[in-house]
């Protein structure tokens, strides 16, 4: 199991060496076995019942009783007594049940009813998705007749709603991981529920390892692992044969239709299918699975237009994706007279149960993270889903009565091309951020960390290297002071590096704004019918040097105009997004202050004002640089992908080198959020990175040429200029 700092003198240098050896031998990382058994550990007795310390209500609202009736019909209720008995007798329990069987909303309440939560302690329920954490917390607070944020709360990155009375908290898995940094034994919790475990997100996988270790040291802690699919055998094995509870589903049959040939344009095909269903089928709501916000909004608009133009009865078209404002998200649960058509990302696959769906339209794609450790590029790509996902999607049609699922791909594609199960995220992610957190937690021996599926050694080595280049690790592989502070920010290491650097270089106030704007949803609105006006409004904020500085302009104007929503509306700015950035900004500022890092503004009158800001961005993002090859074509340094500027950029020039925030692969290879930089700053800011011998040819040539060009030029100082 993972060794803690004080128990082990192993440095990461050794770890890196070991990893490299392993890689050479082409051996897999090996999990050491633990000696303690986790089952039959009857440590928490039912001393407390909910009535004893949770203020018992005298009366409940009518709604409470109405919902209670519905709750009692959920499949998990039939097993309430069994569940409570098994949980009391075991430290770890695995629970598997179909989506909609009541796991997420009911099990935490059963845990409380069983008296497993001592006064002042909590049951924490993790969710891979922010939207699910909030919407489920809201639902459960209603079910229990509490005000959201009081007894039942939630916590997602940059947003917490809880009180001193909170005994049930829904939180993203990433947040629980973060909490473990300040509370390494997760002392606030008596029971932890890792929900949606089948999704195998990076954070959930790391939590598996951490909590498995904590369980040995905290016999008073219980863990429940919940999953919608039957991959449970793997969980049982990992948790020393923990008992498995299966909740029998109550799915109705779902008839599956395939297309004769692959759809050329799945969006068009999806719209056509929805219209056909609406025209020819009886009552029942429709759920369409698409990949992202833009696609979803466009498709909703198209469906509405076609319904109108074809003179069909009205249909309520509702988008659902993670960056959608909460009040709009919750509309999917409203009942309405007309047929509902929900167009969602795969958030609707298992995380959220929407009742009343009878028809599912599945084009067979989702956005998936991929990571190439060789080139260090992580990208979010639209890729075919797995068979397991396709079956989950189809299952959504049979919740309330027999349903139909229209797959916009061929049966052959399903059978022969789709993989069985999506690979766990840990095998396809950049691990820099997680490795930094683990190091901060004192897990220095990464090789022997108890991963359920160990990442390939190459990915771990790359993560350590990236952290080394960023100055978070010293040459010995030990966490530096900078690295330790970096780990405290709920941000990617590049962003936290940029922030810390800016504080030492006289412009942390500006960089705070940029980091916050980058962490909030896109602030520019581009409604379909007003694209020209929106684009021209955006131009007035565009900065000559690039998009990062444009964000600074937007934020300043927002403040100057008194945060006025009307002003935002008139300027095609998303008021909510900028307000959110503002809140993120204050939270990040608090972290800087906590570490005595100064909040300073640059001198606007200095001719170096923007140059200094850009250097700070470069101090974090020197690994995301593109070089102009010819005209509009750039290539990214390192992995030499041919890219063009995303049309949203306000950078009209084509500088020789630029830094980008994102690499987007759609119909073209785009880089997005781009700012002009000088190569000599990069060389000064990250000399070790640019010295790498392993760079491919074009990159090496570009670096050498730039080095020749800048050698001896004294104007090229990366340090702060007045
Ligand atoms: O976690 P699981 O998929 O097993 O089910 P759940 O999320 O606990 O949902 C159980 C039921 O609660 C759903 O079928 C809905 O009827 C209801 N629910 C709701 O009405 N509103 C929500 N936001 C969440 C659940
Ligand atoms: Mg659930």
């Amino acid at each position: 199991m993972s060794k803690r700092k004080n128990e082990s003198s192993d440095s990461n240098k050794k770890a890196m060496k070991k990893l490299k050896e392993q890689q050479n031998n082409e051996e897999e990382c090996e999990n050491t076995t633990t000696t303690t058994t986790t089952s039959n550990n009857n440590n928490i007795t039912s001393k407390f019942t909910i009535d004893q310390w949770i203020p018992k209500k005298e009366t409940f609202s009518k709604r409470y009783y109405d919902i209670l009736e519905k709750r009692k019909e959920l499949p998990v209720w039939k097993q309430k007594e069994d569940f409570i008995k098994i949980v009391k007798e075991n430290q770890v329990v695995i629970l598997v049940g179909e989506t909609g069987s009541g796991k997420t909303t009911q099990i935490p309440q059963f845990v409380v009813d069983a008296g497993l939560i001592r006064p002042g302690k909590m049951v924490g329920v993790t969710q891979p998705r922010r939207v699910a954490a909030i919407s489920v917390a809201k639902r459960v607070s209603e079910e229990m007749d509490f005000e959201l944020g009081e007894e039942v709360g939630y916590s997602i990155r940059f947003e917490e709603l809880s009180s001193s009375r909170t005994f049930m908290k829904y939180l993203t898995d990433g947040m629980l991981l973060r909490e473990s940094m300040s509370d390494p034994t997760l002392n606030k919790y008596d029971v932890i529920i890792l929900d949606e475990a089948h999704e195998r997100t990076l954070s959930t996988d790391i939590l598996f390892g951490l909590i498995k270790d904590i369980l040995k040291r905290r016999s008073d802690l219980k863990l429940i692992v919940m999953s919608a699919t039957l991959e449970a055998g793997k969980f049982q094995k990992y948790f020393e044969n923990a008992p498995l509870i299966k909740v029998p589903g109550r799915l109705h049959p779902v008839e599956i239709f395939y297309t004769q040939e692959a759809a050329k344009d799945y969006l068009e095909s999806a719209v056509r299918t929805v219209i056909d269903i609406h025209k020819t089928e009886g009552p029942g709501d429709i759920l369409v699975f698409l990949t992202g916000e833009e696609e979803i909004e466009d498709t909703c608009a198209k469906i509405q237009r076609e319904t109108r133009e074809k003179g069909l009865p009205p249909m309520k078209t509702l988008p659902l994706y993670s960056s959608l404002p909460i009040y709009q998200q919750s509309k999917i649960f409203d009942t309405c007279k007309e047929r509902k058509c929900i167009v969602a990302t795969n958030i609707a696959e298992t995380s959220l149960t929407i009742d009343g769906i009878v028809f599912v339209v599945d084009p067979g794609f989702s956005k998936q993270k991929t990571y190439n450790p060789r080139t260090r590029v992580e990208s979010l790509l639209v890729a075919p889903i797995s068979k397991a996902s396709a079956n989950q999607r189809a299952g959504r049609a049979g919740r309330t009565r027999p349903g139909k699922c229209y797959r916009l791909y061929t049966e052959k594609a399903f059978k022969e091309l789709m993989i069985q199960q999506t690979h766990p995220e840990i095998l396809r992610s950049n691990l820099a951020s997680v490795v930094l957190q683990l190091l901060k937690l004192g897990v220095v021996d990464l090789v022997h960390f108890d991963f359920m599926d160990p990442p390939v050694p190459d990915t771990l080595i790359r993560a350590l290297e990236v952290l080394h280049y960023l100055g978070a690790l010293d040459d010995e592989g030990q966490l530096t002071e900078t690295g330790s502070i970096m780990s405290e920010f709920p941000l990617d290491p590049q962003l936290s590096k940029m922030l810390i650097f800016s504080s030492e270089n006289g412009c942390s106030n500006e960089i705070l704004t940029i980091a916050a704007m980058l962490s909030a949803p896109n602030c520019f609105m581009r409604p379909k019918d007003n694209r020209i006006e929106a684009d021209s409004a955006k131009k007035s904020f565009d900065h000559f040097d690039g998009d990062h500085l444009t964000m600074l302009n937007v934020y300043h104007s927002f403040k100057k105009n008194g945060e006025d929503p009307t002003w935002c509306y008139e300027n095609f700015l998303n008021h909510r997004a900028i307000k959110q950035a503002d809140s993120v900004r204050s939270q990040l500022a608090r972290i800087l202050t906590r570490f005595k890092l100064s909040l300073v503004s640059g001198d606007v009158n200095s001719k170096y004002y923007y140059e200094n800001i850009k250097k700070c961005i470069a101090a974090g993002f020197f690994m995301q640089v593109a070089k102009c090859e010819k005209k509009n074509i750039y290539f990214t340094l390192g992995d030499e992908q041919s890219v063009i500027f995303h049309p949203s950029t306000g950078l009209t020039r084509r500088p020789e080198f630029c830094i980008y925030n994102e690499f987007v692969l759609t119909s073209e290879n785009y880089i997005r959020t781009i700012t002009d930089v000088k190569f000599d700053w990069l060389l000064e800011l990250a000399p070790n990175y640019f010295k790498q011998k392993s760079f491919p040819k074009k990159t090496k040539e570009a670096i050498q040429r730039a080095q020749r060009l800048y050698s001896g030029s004294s104007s090229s100082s990366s340090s702060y200029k007045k």
Side-chain angles (χ1 to χ4, degrees), residues 379 381 632-636 639-647 662-672:
S379 30
L381 293 178
N632 290 330
I633 316 268
Y634 280 66
F635 73 91
T636 53
D639 58 323
E640 303 192 349
Q641 297 272 350
S642 183
V643 293
I644 56 173
F645 286 10
H646 193 270
E662 258 178 304
F663 177 73
V664 200
L665 260 173
T666 47
S667 47
E668 300 261 15
N669 285 1
Y670 288 120
I671 47 175
R672 188 157 62 189

Side-chain angles (χ1 to χ4, degrees), residues 74 97-106 135-136 139 143 195-196 250 333 350-353 355 399:
L74 289 168
E98 273 298 339
T99 303
S101 54
K103 298 183 298 297
T104 310
T105 52
Q106 309 306 304
S135 95
V136 171
R139 167 74 183 183
E143 288 188 0
D195 197 2
E196 301 278 306
R250 51 154 198 212
F333 298 110
T350 60
S351 321
L352 286 182
T353 313
D355 290 332
R399 279 264 303 125

Side-chain angles (χ1 to χ4, degrees), residues 15-246:
M16 243 153 138
K17 203 167 146 236
K18 232 184 227 167
L19 282 163
K20 280 188 175 147
E21 279 166 16
Q22 273 189 357
Q23 196 186 19
N24 291 341
N25 298 339
E26 287 185 347
E27 276 174 14
E28 281 199 347
C29 272
E30 169 198 328
N31 284 336
T32 49
T33 47
T34 47
T35 46
T36 0
T37 51
T38 46
S39 53
N40 292 325
N41 226 338
N42 187 7
N43 289 301
I44 302 179
T45 44
S46 175
K47 270 186 242 153
F48 306 96
T49 68
I50 185 163
D51 327 5
Q52 280 176 294
W53 68 276
I54 294 167
K56 178 87 179 158
K57 290 195 161 194
E58 292 294 314
T59 50
F60 287 102
S61 65
K62 177 176 179 301
R63 186 174 65 170
Y64 170 86
Y65 292 104
D66 289 349
I67 305 181
L68 187 62
E69 286 316 302
K70 284 206 200 109
R71 288 171 54 200
K72 284 182 177 164
E73 288 164 19
L74 289 168
V76 288
W77 270 75
K78 291 192 189 69
Q79 273 160 296
K80 184 173 176 180
E81 298 314 315
D82 282 352
F83 167 81
I84 289 177
K85 182 169 178 291
I86 296 174
V87 172
K88 279 185 178 167
E89 286 170 358
N90 295 276
Q91 198 180 11
V92 184
V93 173
I94 319 286
L95 187 131
V96 174
E98 273 298 339
T99 303
S101 54
K103 298 183 298 297
T104 310
T105 52
Q106 309 306 304
I107 294 294
Q109 300 187 60
F110 293 175
V111 163
V112 173
D113 287 349
L116 294 174
I117 309 301
R118 293 169 295 182
K121 302 281 177 177
M122 289 191 282
V123 47
V125 191
T126 64
Q127 295 294 313
R129 295 191 169 81
R130 299 157 57 93
V131 182
I134 301 176
S135 95
V136 171
K138 181 165 170 279
R139 167 74 183 183
V140 173
S141 62
E142 281 165 12
E143 288 188 0
M144 297 178 83
D145 221 7
F146 287 131
E147 182 115 352
L148 178 61
E150 295 295 335
E151 284 78 1
V152 180
Y154 69 82
S155 171
I156 60 178
R157 191 171 77 137
F158 297 124
E159 196 179 325
E160 162 126 23
L161 197 65
S162 65
S163 72
S164 55
R165 290 211 296 282
T166 303
F167 60 81
M168 187 185 293
K169 193 158 84 172
Y170 286 88
L171 69 180
T172 51
D173 46 6
M175 278 315 291
L176 187 63
L177 194 54
R178 211 138 260 294
E179 283 190 8
S180 76
M181 285 173 52
S182 54
D183 179 11
T185 50
L186 295 170
N187 243 322
K188 282 188 253 168
Y189 300 96
D190 269 345
V191 177
I192 288 171
I193 303 182
L194 296 180
D195 197 2
E196 301 278 306
H198 61 273
E199 290 230 3
R200 298 293 308 278
T201 57
L202 183 52
S203 296
T204 294
D205 263 23
I206 300 291
L207 283 169
F208 282 146
L210 288 176
I211 295 176
K212 186 169 171 180
D213 194 30
I214 297 173
L215 286 168
K216 281 187 273 172
R217 288 176 287 140
R218 267 194 62 193
S219 55
D220 59 337
L221 177 70
K222 281 184 189 287
L223 172 70
I224 301 168
V225 178
M226 304 205 294
S227 162
T229 56
L230 288 158
E231 207 198 358
K234 192 159 186 172
F235 301 138
Q236 272 189 291
K237 198 163 146 233
Y238 180 79
F239 287 108
E240 327 291 340
N241 297 322
L244 172 70
I245 305 175
K246 279 189 194 166

Side-chain angles (χ1 to χ4, degrees), residues 375-388:
T375 60
R376 293 193 194 84
V377 173
E378 184 179 65
S379 30
L380 209 52
L381 293 178
V382 172
I385 56 169
S386 64
K387 280 197 185 82

